[in-house]
Amino acid sequence: MSDIQESLKLEPENALALSFLGQTLAKLGDFKPAIAALEASLRLDPTSSIAKYDLGTAYLKIGNVNKARVYLEQSVASNPSCASSLVNLSWVQFQTKQYDAAVQSSLAAIALDSRKAKAYECLANVQQHLGELDMAVAAYSAATLFDNTLHAAQTQKLHFQAQMCDWSAFDEFETVAETIGITGEPVAPWPLLGFEDNPARQKTRSARYAKSGDARKTDLSGSGDSSRIRIGYFSSDLSNHATLFLLNGVFEHHSQSDFEIFVYCLNEPKANEHLDRLVRTAEHFADVHMASDDEIVERARQDNLDIAIDLKGYTQDARTGPFYAGVAPIQINYLGYPGTMATSCMDYMIADPVVVPPEQREHYSENLIYLPDSYQPNDDKRAISQAEVTRADYGLSDDAVVLCCFNASYKITPTEFDIWMRVLSSVPNTVLWLLDTNKWAKENLKKAARDRGIDDSR
């Protein structure tokens, strides 16, 4: 670093030195000055495919996918044989919902380098989103075969195997439980929640995952001059989703004389009765799903929030970047992810004595706000269906005892399934009614029933 800086003192407009400076700063995680150096390098040498690649990658790191796409597209155009540029472009295309293009970019990178592990990982990310779970698991497997340090790809592979009720994933997890996400590459903590009940390891994984972005240093003071407390809710589940089913009543019951409510929509808003109701209720509703992390931070700080509530935590499609930067003087983890985020940027977490038993408080970095009964709100205005239905409409016997579990398939482990099969075995007049989440889970569960001596028609 010092050599580069000395070189720039002698020759401030050295494009190559500026490019090296940007690369070095980016590796150190100092992205804003890295971007400034790389942009200066490109102004001096607009033909540099390396600077375009590094600049696009730096913008990708700070969550500005729109600028990242511009520079990565230029990098690929300048040097079509650079597999790394294609991989990062694929990731940007995936994040901007250009799924066909993302697949093509990944495949092009693989065509250039058949052992390009990150290309397989990017391909798998698109495939799982499109519901091609078997293909995604195969691509994640290839990624980890060619690079066994890609623990994030292994985590995703295990998670989607669990979604398919391919329980060999649990055997594999046991071999890496003490290391995955704890040493080596940090991994998203949420996909591993279904594999073990170990809050100490989960806190360690969460802390390592947060560390790269955990740099909240900004001292924010809040609204100050407002007679009401300004509360901002942030979520990418403001759609036909459980989060909104639960929260719409909360928004309607906020005291308007005491609180000014801001809602920041991190998903593409699609009209439906639940979202329409929220938009009518919220005093301020902002669609920021296409905004970069920096733009979201700027918008929230302009709104002068007193409290920011993250409704996503580390679940799918979360946007933790703005919270790392600081969007309010008080930041709270609530509802969507009732686990620790293990980061100093999150001040509080709302829980209850069941979600977080008092003896497990040490495994949470947040100050815990215990609600007396349940942390989970509900909505007394949700309509109860008046449709006239019969058991026969759903293929259920009139005299059977119907046992139900409508959780997602990845939450069904061999332990629970063994219990259920023992019940079916000992009580003949019972059937088990499960959510049909995907064709692989359905067939694997039927096979698991047969293997345990239970007629799969039950």
Side-chain angles (χ1 to χ4, degrees), residues 1-12 14-25 37:
M1 173 75 86
S2 59
D3 291 343
I4 300 172
Q5 290 169 329
E6 287 300 318
S7 174
L8 285 168
K9 285 180 182 178
L10 297 171
E11 192 179 352
N14 185 320
L16 188 59
L18 284 164
S19 180
F20 284 149
L21 177 62
Q23 285 179 0
T24 305
L25 289 168

Side-chain angles (χ1 to χ4, degrees), residues 268-286:
E268 182 180 0
K270 296 181 178 179
N272 63 70
E273 59 179 306
H274 307 288
L275 181 60
D276 292 347
R277 180 179 164 193
L278 168 63
V279 173
R280 289 195 303 270
T281 303
E283 193 166 346
H284 308 280
F285 180 88

Side-chain angles (χ1 to χ4, degrees), residues 120 198 221 258 326 372 403 408 440 449:
Y120 289 100
N198 191 313
S221 59
D258 296 318
L403 309 175
W440 301 278

